[in-house]
Amino acid sequence: MPEILQTEKDDITMKENRKLLREVLKDIRHDMTDEEVLNLLADSKISENPAGEKEKYTLGQRAADAIAKFAGSWAFIFSFTGVLILWMVVNTLLAAKAFDPFPFILLNLVLSCVAAIQAPLIMMSQNRQEEKDRRRAENDYKVNLKTEIMIEDLYDKVNAILARQSALEKHLAGQEKGTPKADGEK
């Protein structure tokens, strides 16, 4: 069963690769030389700057981000701990006149409400961050794919140059062995 799942994943990855290649190479014509294709790839800009784009967030989204940022800080932990201690000390000192006597039932209710409101807000903020990370990963993948294509092309060209050089060396070596010697040489 895991082999089938891996095959399906490979098929999906192959389809995604083909789609990205079509995007990158959509301007290539059939009559173009390898050099022209390489220049087109080198000159085309497929990367995007995710930090450069200013997204429009709603008031609720900005509030969720601010709350998530504050709720995940030491300032929140220390201030919330201070409020809890103050609440318990005040209610313990007031004894009979306390607004929330010892089992602190009202405090438990407040803590539950804070947790119930805070959790979805943090999740909304994390979901937006996850979407940004996904777009960055797609961008990185496109850039890596373009780079890989260009490197493979350069590798092929270097191999062709080395093959020509080797053929020329063999040809020159053959000419040196087959040339008649000048007068006076042994």
Side-chain angles (χ1 to χ4, degrees), residues 181-182 184-186:
K181 297 186 177 155
E185 290 183 17
K186 293 185 181 180

Side-chain angles (χ1 to χ4, degrees), residues 165-180:
Q165 180 182 359
S166 176
L168 284 173
E169 287 174 353
K170 287 179 184 177
H171 181 70
L172 289 174
Q175 279 186 346
E176 287 177 1
K177 289 180 183 176
T179 57

Side-chain angles (χ1 to χ4, degrees), residues 7-28 41 141-142 145-146 148-149:
T7 304
E8 290 174 4
K9 287 180 184 177
D10 291 343
D11 288 344
I12 291 170
T13 303
M14 185 72 78
K15 288 177 185 176
E16 290 174 357
N17 286 348
R18 287 181 184 153
K19 180 183 173 190
L20 285 171
L21 272 172
R22 272 188 236 113
E23 284 180 30
V24 172
L25 303 174
K26 65 184 173 188
D27 293 331
I28 294 178
L41 279 173
Y141 181 75
K142 288 177 184 178
L145 183 62
K146 175 183 172 182
E148 182 179 351
I149 291 168

Side-chain angles (χ1 to χ4, degrees), residues 158-168:
V158 167
N159 280 342
I161 290 171
L162 291 175
R164 285 182 191 156
Q165 180 182 359
S166 176
L168 284 173

Side-chain angles (χ1 to χ4, degrees), residues 94-157:
L94 291 176
K97 296 181 182 181
F99 58 91
D100 187 21
F102 171 62
F104 306 119
I105 295 171
L106 183 59
L107 179 61
N108 283 324
L109 177 64
V110 168
L111 291 174
S112 297
C113 288
V114 166
I117 292 170
Q118 193 177 27
L121 291 174
I122 291 171
M123 290 297 292
M124 285 188 281
S125 180
Q126 287 177 337
N127 288 341
R128 265 191 310 287
Q129 187 61 43
E130 184 179 311
E131 177 63 24
K132 286 179 187 177
D133 292 342
R134 185 189 60 75
R135 285 193 308 249
R136 279 190 198 108
E138 282 179 4
N139 185 44
D140 289 346
Y141 181 75
K142 288 177 184 178
V143 170
N144 290 343
L145 183 62
K146 175 183 172 182
T147 304
E148 182 179 351
I149 291 168
M150 292 177 69
I151 289 173
E152 285 179 8
D153 188 57
L154 290 173
Y155 178 76
D156 290 343
K157 287 180 181 182

